[in-house]
Amino acid sequence: MMVGESTTALFDADNYIAINEARWTIADRALKALRASGMTLETAYDFGAGPGWFAKRLKQSNLDVLALEGREDVAEAGRQRAPGCEFGVLDFDNCATSEALPPRDFSLSFGILYHLENPLRALRMMGAMTGKVMLLETMVVPDADFIARVARENPNETQGIQPLAMILSRAALARGMWAAGFGHVYRCTLPIDHDDFRDLETRHPRRGLWLLSREAVSIEGFAPIEIEEPRRADYWRK
Ligand SMILES: C[S@@+](CC[C@H](N)C(=O)[O-])C[C@H]1O[C@@H](n2cnc3c(N)ncnc32)[C@H](O)[C@@H]1O
């Protein structure tokens, strides 16, 4: 199947490539630092892969890549653009958690969680598929509480498949990381070269980037965060 340019045009827009470059700078650095620390990374998932911009770079970084994408036509574009990477179709909002595939050493979860109806379930599933380390980048809502906002998705290929998505706060996301079983979580403290990650005069940071690991790691630019087992509060108290 040949894939039309309309399927991929939005993924190729200048602003899209700019945020990709900014995020890849961090991912590349983290991969190199993890390997330099002695961790063997041979296999990888790219979750919500789009047409393969990151999958291609993961492959160039000597990883055997299985890219998972919810839309068949976008996955097909990925097969054409990222030769040597395997592409599968997996819709995180319409699959059973029992469909989780066997763990791979490294997972990239960039730009997908905030497009999902159920980011917590997807994160748990991504966790089950991660053998060693996951790099997670997502949008967050600026609120100190453990909350999520229900957002309308734009109807195009770069967005959620369903019309609504849930965007978590940082605190809610941390609970999701706990539920996904990651014992060691690190917040990226490196400057990421895109306004979405910056605290601007008129806008809170819209995105963040985290490293989630099964074992403790020490990587420059990633600060450990303590995640306690969540406790239930009395939300109904007046
Ligand atoms: C914003 S793009 C991100 C692409 C790439 N990961 C990146 O960060 O640039 C979101 C991708 O997730 C895919 N997607 C949306 N909803 C999905 C779902 N329920 N399951 C799997 N993929 C989904 C979209 O088709 C799109 O390719």
Side-chain angles (χ1 to χ4, degrees):
M1 167 170 96
M2 278 313 287
V3 178
E5 262 182 40
S6 59
T7 302
T8 51
L10 288 170
F11 290 101
D12 296 336
D14 288 350
N15 60 346
Y16 211 103
I17 301 299
I19 194 168
N20 285 359
E21 299 278 8
R23 291 179 295 166
W24 178 249
T25 300
I26 305 297
D28 184 41
R29 189 169 162 160
L31 272 171
K32 286 178 175 142
L34 289 166
R35 282 174 162 156
S37 77
M39 190 180 283
T40 304
L41 298 172
E42 292 176 338
T43 55
Y45 283 113
D46 183 2
F47 298 132
W53 197 95
F54 288 103
K56 191 172 167 178
R57 282 156 181 83
L58 293 172
K59 167 92 183 142
Q60 286 163 352
S61 303
N62 289 322
L63 285 157
D64 179 90
V65 181
L66 174 48
L68 297 173
E69 163 55 46
R71 290 183 165 90
E72 173 53 45
D73 55 345
V74 176
E76 182 54 29
R79 288 180 196 111
Q80 289 163 24
R81 288 179 169 207
C85 298
E86 192 183 340
F87 274 76
V89 176
L90 182 80
D91 177 344
F92 280 104
D93 274 333
N94 277 301
C95 61
T97 51
S98 57
E99 287 176 59
L101 297 168
R104 290 182 157 236
D105 298 335
F106 180 79
S107 301
L108 193 80
S109 179
F110 275 12
I112 173 69
L113 222 55
Y114 57 90
H115 288 305
L116 302 178
E117 279 180 347
N118 195 336
L120 294 175
R121 199 182 72 121
L123 187 53
R124 194 158 49 78
M125 203 167 164
M126 291 173 186
M129 293 165 70
T130 303
K132 295 182 182 174
V133 167
M134 172 155 65
L135 260 192
L136 169 70
E137 178 270 321
T138 185
M139 289 185 117
V140 281
V141 291
D143 195 300
D145 212 340
F146 309 98
I147 62 145
R149 292 221 179 255
V150 177
R152 171 76 169 109
E153 286 289 281
N154 288 321
N156 71 59
E157 299 75 23
T158 68
Q159 305 288 298
I161 293 171
Q162 302 305 322
L164 298 176
M166 276 219 290
I167 310 178
L168 305 175
S169 66
R170 285 171 198 270
L173 180 65
R175 287 192 160 181
M177 294 170 179
W178 171 83
F182 286 99
H184 304 274
V185 176
Y186 306 84
R187 181 176 59 85
C188 179
T189 57
L190 299 165
I192 307 177
D193 191 16
H194 190 280
D195 271 356
D196 273 11
F197 295 93
R198 296 187 179 114
D199 196 356
L200 305 175
E201 205 177 322
T202 55
R203 201 178 75 193
H204 295 285
R206 298 210 302 188
R207 295 170 188 262
L209 201 152
W210 292 263
L211 190 149
L212 290 64
S213 180
R214 302 266 163 235
E215 60 182 59
V217 293
S218 177
I219 302 292
E220 201 191 328
F222 286 87
I225 55 174
E226 292 300 322
I227 302 181
E228 286 175 16
E229 179 169 349
R231 290 216 211 122
R232 194 170 164 124
D234 183 358
Y235 307 119
W236 298 271
R237 189 170 172 183
K238 286 188 174 174

